[in-house]
Amino acid sequence: QVQLVESGGGLVQTGGSLRLSCAASGSIFAIYAMGWYRQAPGKQRELVAQIFSGGVTSYGDSVKGRFTISRDNAENTVYLQMNSLKPEDTSVYYCNAKIRPSQLTSVDYWGRGTQVTVSS
């Protein structure tokens, strides 16, 4: 089991910045990737950014060059630095952790989500 607690959401103006944090606890030794997804009303949940245990990162096309994912292994925390925010970034942001119980399976854990609202 993995528990995830997000923080850092809020209201910001267009062009502003926010930093989200996600602290993991529990079976953290089993985590091979952590990341952020977002879901706006009426839309599917989409990948924002992801970081793997080896340090490789990936980003959704809409946030490349504006968002940066990083991690603090000592604190078991992942961060999402969001710059140049746009109204279309408005969404609930969910922290995600992936563990691999066996070679052929992967299990997702989710935080409760944090609201990010960008005003125009």
Side-chain angles (χ1 to χ4, degrees):
Q1 292 285 337
V2 174
Q3 295 78 42
L4 303 171
V5 178
E6 303 116 329
S7 61
L11 173 65
V12 66
Q13 291 185 332
T14 295
S17 298
L18 281 175
R19 190 176 82 154
L20 305 183
S21 301
C22 175
S25 60
S27 301
I28 56 175
F29 60 90
I31 296 174
Y32 72 90
M34 288 188 69
W36 294 91
Y37 289 71
R38 66 187 182 188
Q39 187 168 20
K43 294 188 177 181
Q44 287 190 329
R45 191 170 294 190
E46 63 174 356
L47 173 69
V48 177
Q50 188 166 257
I51 185 165
F52 292 85
S53 55
V56 174
T57 59
S58 64
Y59 294 90
D61 288 341
S62 62
V63 307
K64 286 180 181 177
R66 299 188 297 124
F67 292 10
T68 303
I69 191 169
S70 61
R71 67 184 182 189
D72 182 332
N73 290 331
E75 297 293 329
N76 302 315
T77 300
V78 170
Y79 303 97
L80 183 68
Q81 179 65 43
M82 304 186 293
N83 298 329
S84 303
L85 282 161
K86 305 174 182 180
E88 50 263 45
D89 294 317
T90 295
S91 192
V92 178
Y93 285 70
Y94 295 92
C95 183
N96 169 268
K98 300 183 186 295
I99 69 170
R100 200 182 294 281
S102 69
Q103 195 170 8
L104 299 179
T105 60
S106 179
V107 176
D108 286 308
Y109 289 90
W110 298 94
R112 291 190 172 188
T114 184
Q115 177 70 45
V116 171
T117 303
V118 184
S119 63
S120 57

